[in-house]
C-alpha cells in the first residue's frame, strides 16, 4: 500500500524465493507454473488440433525469432493436453525432438523415449518409404490404440543443419504420410522461425500442410506483457517498484522478438532485488530490456585476460551457423570440439564456458545419440544484441564458411576410418592451405590432422613423382649415352668406309693407269715391230717380184 499497489504477496521466506524468470532459454513443460501471457494463443493451438479435415493431425507454429513459439508449445500447449484439454489428451503419449544434423536418428531417439523396450531397433522401419514413421511408432507405443504427439522444435534445423537432401526429403515424406494416413494415430506439432517459412514450401506434399495448418505467433499485447512481468514475481513473493512495470512495458512494446531480451532483463533484475522488491534503480543499472543482454555479455568478456578473450572469440564463432538469405542461427557444438581447439590448455575453454554459462548466455545439454556434452548459445538474441559478437561475425564470415566446409570434410574422413580417398587434393587442397596460413580462425585437433594428412599425401605424391622423373631422367641419360656412343661408332665406321672407298678408288685408278700404260707400251711395241717388219720387207723387194714385196711390206 505504501507503493500505491494492492498486491497480495505470498508469505514465502526470503531464503526460499527462487528466480521465476528463464533468461534466454525457452520455457519447458516443467516451467508451466511460471508461464503467463499466452493463454489466448494456447487456446487457439488447442482448437487447431481438433479441426476436421485432411492434415488436421499436423500443426506448424510459426513466428519470428524471440516470439516465444517454443515456450507456448512446451509450457502452454503440452501441460494443457496432459490435463485433458482435448478429449482423451490426458492419455496421449508425447515426445519431443530437434531435427539436428541427422533427423532420422533423432526421430528414432524420440520414439524410444516412450517405448517400454529401449533396445528396439527402429532404423529399418524409419528407412522405409512413406509409412516408415507409422510402422516405427506402432512398435514403440507402449499400448495399442494409443495416440502419439510428436513435437519437433526448431524445425528450421532441418533446412540449416541437414546436408543430405535425400535424407531431408525422406524425413518430410515420413511426416506427411504419418499425419495424412486415414488410419493414423500420430499428431505432429512443429515450431518454425518465420524467416524459414518458405523452405518447407519447396516440397509439394508438405507445402500443402504448411498452407492449411499454420498458426502464426503474434506479439504480446500490453496486458499480456504486464502478466509476463508481474505475475511470476508475485507468485514467489516479490513485488515491482511502482512505475517499473509500465517502464518495462514501454521499453519492450513494438520490439519484434523481444521476449528473450525481456526474460533476460527480468532475470538480471530479479538477481539485483532489494529484499522482495525489484527496483527501478536496478533496472537502470542493467541498461534496461534492450541493453541488459549486450551489457552482460560484454561484462563477462571484459573480465577475461588476453588469452581468454582470444579463446572466447574462437568459441563463439563456432557456436553460430551463418544464414543464407536468413538471419544467423545458433549452433549446438560438442564440448569436445571446443576443447580440442586448445588441446594443450583445455582449462581455458572450461573457464570461458563456465563464465558465460553462469551469465545464462550459454546453455548445456547432451547429444541424444552419443550422450556427449554439448554447448549452445542460449538464444539467437545474443547474436543481435552483443555488438562485439556481431562484429566478429561480420569480419569472419568467409573464414567461418571455409571452416565449416573443412570441418565437414574432416568428419567424413574420420567416419571413413581415415580413408586416403577422402583427403583434399589439387586446387582444393591449395585453396585450404592458403586459407589456413592467412586465417586467424583456429582449427580443432581433427581438422588439423585432416589438413596434415592431406599435405603429407601431397608430399608423398610429389616425392613419388620426383622419383619417377629421376628414373626416367636416368633412363634418358643412358639412352642418350648409348645413342652418343652409337653415333661415334657410326661416325668412325663412316670415316673408315670413306677411307676404304678412297683407297679402293685410288687402287682402281692406279690399276687402270697401269693397264693403260701396258696397253700403250704394247701398242708401241707392235708399232715398232710393224715398222721393223715393213722395213725388212722393203729391203727384200726385188725387181722380179715387186707386187709380192709390196704385199709383204703391207703385211
Amino acid at each position: 500500500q505504501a507503493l500505491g499497489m494492492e498486491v497480495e504477496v505470498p508469505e514465502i521466506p526470503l531464503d526460499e524465493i527462487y528466480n521465476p524468470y528463464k533468461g534466454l532459454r525457452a520455457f519447458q513443460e516443467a516451467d508451466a507454473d511460471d508461464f503467463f501471457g499466452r493463454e489466448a494463443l494456447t487456446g487457439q493451438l488447442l482448437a487447431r488440433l481438433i479441426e476436421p479435415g485432411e492434415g488436421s493431425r499436423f500443426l506448424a507454429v510459426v513466428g519470428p525469432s524471440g516470439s516465444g513459439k517454443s515456450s507456448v508449445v512446451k509450457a502452454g500447449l503440452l501441460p494443457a493436453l496432459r490435463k485433458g484439454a482435448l478429449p482423451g489428451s490426458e492419455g496421449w503419449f508425447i515426445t519431443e525432438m530437434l531435427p539436428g544434423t541427422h533427423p532420422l536418428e533423432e526421430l528414432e531417439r524420440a520414439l524410444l523415449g516412450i517405448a517400454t523396450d529401449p533396445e528396439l531397433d527402429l532404423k529399418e522401419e524409419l528407412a522405409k518409404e512413406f509409412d516408415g514413421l507409422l510402422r516405427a511408432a506402432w512398435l514403440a507405443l507402449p499400448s495399442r490404440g494409443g495416440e502419439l504427439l510428436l513435437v519437433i522444435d526448431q524445425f528450421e534445423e532441418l533446412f540449416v543443419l541437414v546436408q543430405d537432401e535425400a535424407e531431408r526429403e525422406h524425413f518430410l515424406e515420413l511426416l506427411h504420410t504419418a499425419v495424412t494416413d486415414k488410419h493414423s494415430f500420430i499428431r505432429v506439432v512443429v515450431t518454425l522461425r518465420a524467416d524459414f517459412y518458405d523452405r518447407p514450401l519447396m516440397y509439394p506434399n508438405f507445402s500443402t500442410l504448411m498452407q492449411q495448418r499454420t498458426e502464426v505467433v503474434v506479439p504480446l499485447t500490453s496486458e499480456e506483457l504486464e502478466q509476463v512481468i508481474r505475475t511470476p514475481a508475485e507468485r514467489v513473493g516479490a513485488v515491482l517498484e511502482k512505475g517499473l512495470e509500465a517502464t518495462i512495458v514501454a521499453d519492450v512494446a513494438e520490439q519484434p522478438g523481444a521476449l528473450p531480451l525481456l526474460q533476460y532483463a527480468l532475470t538480471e533484475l530479479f538477481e539485483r532485488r532489494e529484499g522482495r522488491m525489484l527496483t527501478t534503480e536496478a533496472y537502470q543499472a542493467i541498461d534496461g530490456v534492450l541493453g541488459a543482454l549486450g551489457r552482460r555479455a560484454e561484462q563477462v568478456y571484459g573480465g577475461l585476460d588476453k588469452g581468454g578473450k582470444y579463446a572466447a572469440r574462437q568459441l563463439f564463432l563456432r557456436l553460430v551457423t551463418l544464414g543464407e538469405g536468413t538471419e544467423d542461427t545458433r549452433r549446438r557444438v560438442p564440448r569436445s570440439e571446443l576443447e580440442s581447439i586448445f588441446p594443450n590448455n583445455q582449462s581455458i575453454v572450461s573457464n570461458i564456458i563456465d563464465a558465460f554459462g553462469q551469465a545464462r548466455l550459454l546453455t548445456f545439454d547432451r547429444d541424444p545419440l552419443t550422450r556427449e556434452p554439448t554447448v549452445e548459445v542460449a538464444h539467437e538474441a545474443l547474436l543481435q544484441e552483443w555488438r562485439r559478437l556481431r562484429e566478429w561475425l561480420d569480419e569472419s564470415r568467409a573464414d567461418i564458411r571455409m571452416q565449416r566446409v573443412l570441418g565437414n570434410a574432416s568428419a567424413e574422413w574420420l567416419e571413413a576410418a581415415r580413408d586416403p580417398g577422402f583427403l583434399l587434393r589439387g586446387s582444393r587442397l591449395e585453396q585450404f592451405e592458403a586459407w589456413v596460413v592467412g586465417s586467424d580462425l583456429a582449427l580443432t585437433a581433427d581438422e588439423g590432422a585432416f589438413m596434415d594428412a592431406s599435405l603429407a599425401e601431397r608430399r608423398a605424391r610429389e616425392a613419388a613423382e620426383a622419383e619417377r622423373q629421376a628414373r626416367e631422367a636416368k633412363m634418358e641419360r643412358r639412352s642418350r649415352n648409348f645413342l652418343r656412343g652409337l653415333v661415334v661408332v657410326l661416325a668412325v665406321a663412316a670415316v673408315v668406309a670413306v677411307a676404304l672407298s678412297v683407297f679402293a678408288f685410288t687402287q682402281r685408278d692406279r690399276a687402270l693407269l697401269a693397264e693403260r700404260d701396258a696397253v700403250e707400251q704394247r701398242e708401241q711395241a707392235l708399232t715398232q715391230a710393224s715398222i721393223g717388219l715393213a722395213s725388212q720387207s722393203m729391203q727384200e723387194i726385188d725387181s722380179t717380184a715387186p707386187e709380192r714385196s709390196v704385199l709383204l711390206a703391207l703385211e
Side-chain angles (χ1 to χ4, degrees):
Q1 292 178 343
L3 296 172
M5 302 170 61
E6 295 294 338
V7 178
E8 292 185 7
V9 179
E11 292 298 329
I12 300 176
L14 284 176
D15 58 353
E16 295 182 10
I17 294 178
Y18 70 92
N19 193 330
Y21 303 106
K22 306 307 172 187
L24 293 178
R25 71 176 182 86
F27 282 80
Q28 303 299 313
E29 190 173 349
D31 302 319
D33 290 341
D34 295 323
F35 185 67
F36 297 95
R38 285 299 192 186
E39 291 79 9
L41 180 56
T42 299
Q44 294 173 21
L45 298 180
L46 289 169
R48 295 300 301 273
L49 285 178
I50 57 174
E51 285 181 350
E54 184 178 2
S56 61
R57 289 180 167 271
F58 175 82
L59 182 62
V61 182
V62 179
S65 177
S67 61
K69 51 190 177 297
S70 296
S71 295
V72 72
V73 169
K74 294 182 178 181
L77 177 62
L78 297 188
L81 290 173
R82 292 194 189 277
K83 293 177 181 179
L86 296 182
S89 64
E90 68 277 7
W92 291 1
F93 297 98
I94 300 175
T95 187
E96 304 175 27
M97 65 169 286
L98 298 169
T101 55
H102 299 289
L104 293 179
E105 295 179 2
E106 298 287 352
L107 180 56
E108 181 190 31
R109 181 201 63 80
L111 294 176
L112 291 177
I114 61 169
T116 54
D117 181 6
E119 301 300 324
L120 277 175
D121 187 355
L122 303 177
K123 295 185 180 65
E124 183 178 349
E125 297 298 335
L126 292 175
K128 294 179 179 178
E129 297 293 332
F130 307 119
D131 62 349
L133 176 53
L134 287 168
R135 291 174 176 271
W138 179 259
L139 293 175
L141 280 178
S143 62
R144 298 294 177 254
E147 287 276 323
L148 171 65
L149 173 62
L150 172 64
V151 176
I152 307 178
D153 195 19
Q154 299 181 38
F155 198 58
E156 61 272 7
E157 288 188 355
L158 186 66
F159 309 97
V160 175
L161 302 181
V162 179
Q163 303 295 319
D164 188 346
E165 177 61 26
E167 184 176 7
R168 176 165 42 242
E169 290 182 354
H170 181 65
F171 183 77
L172 290 172
E173 194 61 41
L174 290 180
L175 295 181
H176 178 266
T177 302
V179 297
T180 57
D181 188 273
K182 62 182 180 179
H183 300 298
S184 178
F185 51 91
I186 298 176
R187 299 175 189 271
V188 176
V189 174
V190 305
T191 65
L192 177 68
R193 263 176 46 179
D195 51 335
F196 284 89
Y197 180 74
D198 63 317
R199 301 299 178 87
L201 299 181
M202 298 178 183
Y203 301 84
N205 288 338
F206 210 82
S207 65
T208 302
L209 288 176
M210 293 295 298
Q211 294 174 52
Q212 298 175 352
R213 305 290 302 165
T214 293
E215 184 70 25
V216 177
V217 178
V218 297
L220 291 167
T221 65
S222 296
E223 293 75 14
E224 290 171 333
L225 284 172
E226 290 174 359
Q227 292 183 46
V228 170
I229 296 167
R230 182 185 65 254
T231 312
E234 292 177 349
R235 280 195 66 258
V236 296
V239 295
L240 277 73
E241 185 177 355
K242 184 178 180 179
L244 177 56
E245 180 181 326
T247 299
I248 298 174
V249 170
D251 287 347
V252 77
E254 308 299 329
Q255 295 291 334
L259 288 182
L261 303 181
L262 174 60
Q263 283 291 321
Y264 193 83
L266 291 172
T267 303
E268 292 281 296
L269 180 62
F270 195 91
E271 294 295 326
R272 292 169 175 257
R273 71 189 184 280
E274 297 178 6
R276 297 180 184 272
M277 183 174 292
L278 282 64
T279 66
T280 301
E281 182 181 357
Y283 181 70
Q284 293 172 346
I286 63 173
D287 292 341
V289 169
L290 302 182
L293 181 57
R295 173 189 170 279
R296 189 72 174 100
E298 191 63 22
Q299 183 182 49
V300 175
Y301 177 79
L304 303 175
D305 59 19
K306 183 177 180 180
K309 290 177 178 178
Y310 171 79
R313 180 177 183 273
Q314 297 294 333
L315 265 61
F316 273 97
L317 290 180
R318 286 182 174 269
L319 293 171
V320 178
T321 296
L322 300 181
E324 299 294 340
T326 60
E327 294 182 0
D328 300 334
T329 58
R330 53 185 171 166
R331 173 176 179 252
R332 284 192 305 280
V333 179
R335 184 165 180 148
S336 60
E337 176 181 326
L338 301 177
E339 292 174 343
S340 69
I341 301 175
F342 305 98
N344 298 324
N345 190 10
Q346 292 187 2
S347 62
I348 192 173
V349 176
S350 297
N351 292 338
I352 292 169
I353 291 175
D354 291 343
F356 281 95
Q358 290 172 3
R360 304 179 184 88
L361 300 175
L362 298 177
T363 58
F364 310 100
D365 201 348
R366 287 186 177 273
D367 185 276
L369 301 178
T370 64
R371 305 308 300 162
E372 182 180 2
T374 60
V375 181
E376 185 177 13
V377 171
H379 197 277
E380 278 86 2
L382 183 63
L383 280 57
Q384 300 299 323
E385 299 303 320
W386 189 15
R387 185 175 63 182
R388 185 180 298 277
L389 178 54
R390 291 203 314 272
E391 292 174 352
W392 287 345
L393 292 172
D394 291 341
E395 294 168 355
S396 306
R397 288 186 176 273
D399 285 342
I400 294 172
R401 290 190 174 93
M402 289 291 286
Q403 183 275 318
R404 296 293 188 272
V405 175
L406 180 63
N408 291 334
S410 64
E412 292 177 354
W413 175 63
L414 292 173
E415 290 176 1
R418 300 176 182 256
D419 185 342
F422 286 81
L423 295 174
L424 299 172
R425 291 184 175 84
S427 60
R428 186 174 174 84
L429 174 56
E430 293 175 0
Q431 180 186 16
F432 278 100
E433 182 182 21
W435 171 73
V436 169
V437 172
S439 173
D440 63 351
L441 207 63
L443 301 183
T444 65
D446 289 342
E447 292 163 356
F450 177 66
M451 280 298 301
D452 290 343
S454 297
L455 293 171
E457 191 207 28
R458 185 179 67 180
R459 289 193 294 269
R461 290 198 310 271
E462 290 174 346
E465 178 64 16
E467 184 178 353
R468 184 188 65 80
Q469 292 180 358
R471 288 197 304 269
E472 290 182 353
K474 185 176 181 180
M475 293 177 62
E476 186 176 352
R477 285 195 300 272
R478 288 179 178 177
S479 298
R480 284 200 302 268
N481 292 337
F482 174 76
L483 292 175
R484 190 178 294 113
L486 182 61
V487 168
V488 171
V489 171
L490 292 176
V492 171
V495 171
V496 172
V498 170
L500 291 175
S501 298
V502 171
F503 177 77
F505 281 120
T506 301
Q507 291 300 106
R508 187 196 64 180
D509 290 343
R510 288 179 178 176
L512 291 175
L513 182 60
E515 182 180 0
R516 186 180 63 187
D517 290 344
V519 170
E520 289 179 354
Q521 290 176 2
R522 186 169 63 253
E523 289 177 350
Q524 290 177 1
L526 289 173
T527 301
Q528 291 175 0
S530 298
I531 293 174
L533 181 59
S535 177
Q536 180 181 0
S537 299
M538 289 297 292
Q539 291 175 3
E540 290 178 356
I541 295 175
D542 56 7
S543 57
T544 58
E547 296 85 353
R548 180 171 176 271
S549 298
V550 173
L551 292 172
L552 290 173
L554 291 174
E555 178 67 23

